[in-house]
Amino acid sequence: MAEVRVENLVKTYGAARALDEVTLDFPDGGFFGLLGPSGSGKTTLLRAIAGFVLPETGRVLIADEPVENVPVEKRGIGMVFQNYALFPNMTVAENIAFGLDVRKVGAAEKKRRVTEALDLVQLGAFGARKPHQLSGGQRQRVAMARAIVTRPRVLLLDEPLSALDKALRVDMQIELKRIQREIGITTIFVTHDQEEALTLSDRIGILKDGRLIRHGPPREVYDDPRDSFTATFLGDARIFSGTREADGLRLADGTLVPGAQGATIAVRPENFQLSASEPNAPCRLRAHLVQKIFGGALGTCLLDWQGEVIKVVGRDADFRALPESGPVWVSWQPEHSVTISP
Amino acid sequence: MSNGFLAHLGRAYVGLILFFLYAPILVMAAMSLNASEFYQLPFRGSTEWYARLWHNGEILSAAWRSVWIAVIVTLIATTLGTAASVALFRHDFRGKRVLQVLLFPPIAIPWLITGTAMLIFFFGIGLGRGTPAVIIGHVALALPYVIVVVSARLATFDRTLEEAARSLGATPWQITRAVTVPWILPGIIAGGLFAFAVSFDQFVVSYFLSEPGDTTLPVLIYTSIRKGFTPEINAISTIIIALSMGIMLLAARYSNFGGER
């Protein structure tokens, strides 16, 4: 177990900066989610910690030891790949034993640890199978078992659940969290799924264009996004900007948003209410309902306001009274106006 | 024209191709079993020509020579070719494309010209004719085949398997042995069989590079025909054809050409 730290990492591919002065701490025993759109540098950062990517400048420290010049095989990491990368010519047990074999672990010790790892991922009876005889979720577990059986100092997960279907993904999230808690290993994982990052991580980092935009505990980052990228990426928020006035924010169409503290605010889709008649809520706008999207328990409404789209998420029951399209009122409570930098 | 007619035409076309490919071979195989020395019909079955082969020391020693040269060539060409394929797959370096392109002309250049060039070259460097020259020449001819077949298999290899092995602490050599080679093994076997066939069936280059009296089987057959054709040649040729076709069928099985099984 160890703390991981990166300092001023820079990696360029041609003219593009995949990592741009990234400095970040990954606390010992924590579950850290790296989040960002594709091309944001999150995978490059993970691969730089693993050693597959060599940064031009900056340092990577595992347990306070600089590892920039240590090759991948000597960094003491465990890694789970997006496609699991199980060795097709080996059985499940042989796959898991591979890391022990190259370390020349004795036969008895090896057997004990492979069994232990198989039990940990609840695949005790599958040791003799070949990877192609397993389901996606089972392969994922084997990849986990193989990565942790060598007792690495840090566990790196590269979009480990993205190849699974949704129902299985939710199961595996719980499973992943359980395994990580049980062995208490420092875990860094990359995802483009914000919900997955929020569910699993005890800290998240958000990257954009190779830069670390924001990091912190998920709830803190979610509740106080501070900048428009984090607000839209992590919560699909609507950004409103205008001129600051004594009693609120004056929008371009003349609407006053009372209580707003800055020139730019973000409001999340779940904090909007829709009504056909004018509501009492102090923050309100007149918009045009364009489309109602049924999604089971939760529904989504898309509105047009001043040529921009406002997305509203709520209980489908609350949307039933609304017309399919036409003019509606959008409202929210002043405490849901989150001040951000533009 | 109806589709039925076209289908018949297609079948006749394929039939003709197979006929022209195999009819001469079948005739030769049949004649090797005919008792008459002068191809006289009616056909009278006999294994006399095969039996005589066993007592023809010249043919036997040439055959043995062809086999062991082919085995040595196969071992060298397969090892070098596999190593080259893995290196070309793993590394990007300046001139890689040029090198890959330069590996193929030996397949396309007529063997007569390659053989002449090699002869001049080997005399130039003082090696001259003889078995070492023959082996080097055969390896040079077989190498591109091995590289093509092994590289084709490597193209289906998932690189993240090597990354996974590295993350688990394996050194490049351990990765090669435990992960990469097992995956490309069918390609290596197929490439080796090609190398064997290229060497064993090689006439032109062997003819140029071997010393008189130290000939390989194809060269001996050619010189025998010039002295006068005996059904013994039919017999040994039939054996060579059976062996070569067997090797090619095995190679096809391992390299999957003609589509996925």
Side-chain angles (χ1 to χ4, degrees):
Chain A
M1 309 305 122
E3 178 199 37
V4 175
R5 182 173 165 76
V6 297
E7 288 172 5
N8 303 314
L9 281 194
V10 174
K11 177 69 190 175
T12 52
Y13 291 113
R17 284 210 150 186
L19 292 176
D20 193 357
E21 296 282 332
V22 176
T23 298
L24 190 54
D25 266 311
F26 303 91
D28 188 6
F31 204 120
F32 200 109
L34 290 172
L35 188 60
S38 55
S40 61
K42 55 190 193 301
T43 299
T44 310
L45 178 54
L46 192 82
R47 291 173 67 81
I49 296 168
F52 291 119
V53 165
L54 300 177
E56 276 109 60
T57 59
R59 310 210 306 157
V60 178
L61 298 112
I62 300 177
D64 296 322
E65 174 207 342
V67 294
E68 304 93 67
N69 298 315
V70 178
V72 178
E73 59 268 26
K74 297 213 166 68
R75 286 199 185 186
I77 54 156
M79 190 154 175
V80 174
F81 294 81
Q82 199 171 352
N83 65 355
Y84 318 133
L86 300 180
F87 307 126
N89 54 315
M90 302 182 198
T91 64
V92 167
E94 286 165 352
N95 261 280
I96 297 173
F98 184 82
L100 302 174
D101 285 333
V102 300
R103 283 172 178 74
K104 312 242 184 309
V105 172
E109 166 83 352
K110 184 171 88 179
K111 187 158 185 261
R112 191 180 61 73
R113 277 164 74 173
V114 169
T115 310
E116 201 179 271
L118 277 169
D119 289 342
L120 182 69
V121 298
Q122 299 173 346
L123 282 177
F126 290 80
R129 301 252 186 122
K130 285 286 185 76
H132 68 88
Q133 296 169 308
L134 302 178
S135 70
Q138 289 167 339
R139 283 178 209 182
Q140 215 280 331
R141 287 160 195 258
V142 175
M144 265 305 272
R146 186 179 67 174
I148 58 182
V149 76
T150 58
R151 302 193 182 128
R153 298 188 290 182
V154 50
L155 181 60
L156 306 171
L157 312 173
D158 184 8
E159 308 228 9
L161 305 178
S162 64
L164 303 176
D165 59 54
K166 188 167 168 76
L168 197 55
R169 202 155 66 221
V170 174
D171 285 349
M172 282 308 299
Q173 284 175 2
I174 298 166
E175 187 70 9
L176 210 57
K177 189 81 184 168
R178 175 186 69 79
I179 294 168
Q180 194 266 343
R181 282 216 183 109
E182 224 163 283
I183 57 175
I185 188 173
T186 310
T187 302
I188 304 171
F189 94 111
V190 157
T191 181
H192 61 265
D193 182 338
Q194 356 138 340
E195 204 182 304
E196 194 172 288
L198 295 173
T199 311
L200 286 173
S201 322
D202 31 61
R203 291 183 79 80
I204 56 170
I206 294 172
L207 287 113
K208 182 200 176 196
D209 301 333
R211 289 190 154 273
L212 182 70
I213 300 283
R214 184 73 196 282
H215 62 102
R219 184 175 296 278
E220 191 184 301
V221 176
Y222 186 83
D223 286 343
D224 182 17
R226 290 189 206 160
D227 65 277
S228 60
F229 178 77
T230 306
T232 48
F233 186 73
L234 201 60
D236 237 349
R238 174 73 244 164
I239 310 289
F240 296 102
S241 37
T243 39
R244 180 91 201 273
E245 288 187 6
D247 44 356
L249 174 68
R250 182 73 64 186
L251 301 182
D253 70 338
T255 312
L256 182 76
V257 182
Q261 301 294 309
T264 307
I265 60 163
V267 184
R268 293 191 191 288
E270 70 272 22
N271 290 330
F272 288 117
Q273 277 86 45
L274 295 182
S275 53
S277 53
E278 185 162 2
N280 291 323
C283 309
R284 55 182 185 267
L285 297 168
R286 193 93 173 113
H288 193 88
L289 177 59
V290 179
Q291 201 185 355
K292 287 206 288 189
I293 302 162
F294 177 68
L298 292 178
T300 304
C301 288
L302 298 179
L303 287 76
D304 176 87
W305 174 75
Q306 305 284 308
E308 293 186 77
V309 178
I310 297 180
K311 191 168 148 186
V312 181
V313 174
R315 293 198 320 143
D316 184 68
D318 296 340
F319 294 151
R320 278 200 202 140
L322 298 172
E324 283 308 307
S325 65
V328 287
W329 285 92
V330 191
S331 61
W332 67 96
Q333 297 301 319
E335 65 266 27
H336 288 138
S337 300
V338 181
T339 308
I340 55 169
S341 66
Chain B
M1 272 191 291
S2 71
N3 275 336
F5 177 75
L6 278 178
H8 281 302
L9 200 67
R11 249 174 259 143
Y13 177 63
V14 172
L16 272 176
I17 287 176
L18 290 176
F19 178 78
F20 280 109
L21 272 178
Y22 286 103
I25 292 171
L26 289 175
V27 167
M28 188 178 72
M31 285 307 147
S32 74
L33 290 164
N34 190 356
S36 163
E37 197 173 338
F38 305 105
Y39 304 101
Q40 282 168 330
L41 293 172
F43 185 86
R44 279 192 304 113
S46 159
T47 54
E48 188 198 339
W49 307 114
Y50 288 88
R52 273 213 214 171
L53 273 183
W54 280 116
H55 304 293
N56 187 331
E58 208 184 10
I59 283 186
L60 279 187
S61 78
W64 171 238
R65 189 175 187 74
S66 277
V67 169
W68 71 253
I69 286 179
V71 168
I72 291 173
V73 167
T74 302
L75 292 176
I76 298 174
T78 309
T79 310
L80 292 180
T82 303
S85 305
V86 171
L88 287 170
F89 176 74
R90 276 198 193 154
H91 305 291
D92 271 314
F93 49 88
R94 267 168 64 104
K96 176 172 162 177
R97 290 295 308 162
V98 177
L99 183 62
Q100 280 175 316
V101 169
L102 281 177
L103 283 168
F104 295 108
I107 295 179
I109 293 173
W111 283 342
L112 184 69
I113 292 164
T114 313
T116 315
M118 281 178 177
L119 184 63
I120 294 167
F121 177 72
F122 288 146
F123 269 107
I125 62 168
L127 183 68
R129 288 181 158 184
T131 307
V134 171
I135 290 175
I136 294 171
H138 284 192
V139 167
L141 292 180
L143 205 53
Y145 292 91
V146 176
I147 293 175
V148 167
V149 175
V150 176
S151 293
R153 177 71 189 171
L154 264 174
T156 65
F157 181 71
D158 176 8
R159 272 164 194 271
T160 55
L161 292 179
E162 291 193 336
E163 290 187 348
R166 269 193 93 184
S167 76
L168 290 165
T171 59
W173 170 241
Q174 286 171 321
I175 295 170
T176 304
R177 214 187 47 205
V179 180
T180 319
V181 168
W183 178 264
I184 57 174
L185 195 58
I188 296 174
I189 293 173
L193 292 168
F194 271 115
F196 187 91
V198 165
S199 170
F200 190 75
D201 297 345
Q202 182 53 242
F203 167 69
V204 183
V205 170
S206 303
Y207 184 71
F208 276 88
L209 297 179
S210 57
E211 277 177 316
D214 256 0
T215 51
T216 59
L217 195 51
V219 176
L220 182 78
I221 290 171
Y222 175 74
T223 42
S224 312
I225 292 169
R226 290 181 52 171
K227 281 187 266 172
F229 208 87
T230 67
E232 266 177 287
I233 299 301
N234 286 335
I236 188 70
S237 302
T238 305
I239 292 172
I240 293 174
I241 285 165
L243 198 69
S244 303
M245 282 183 64
I247 286 171
M248 280 302 158
L249 286 175
L250 272 178
R253 190 181 154 80
Y254 278 105
S255 69
N256 276 353
F257 59 52
E260 282 294 316
R261 268 178 295 144

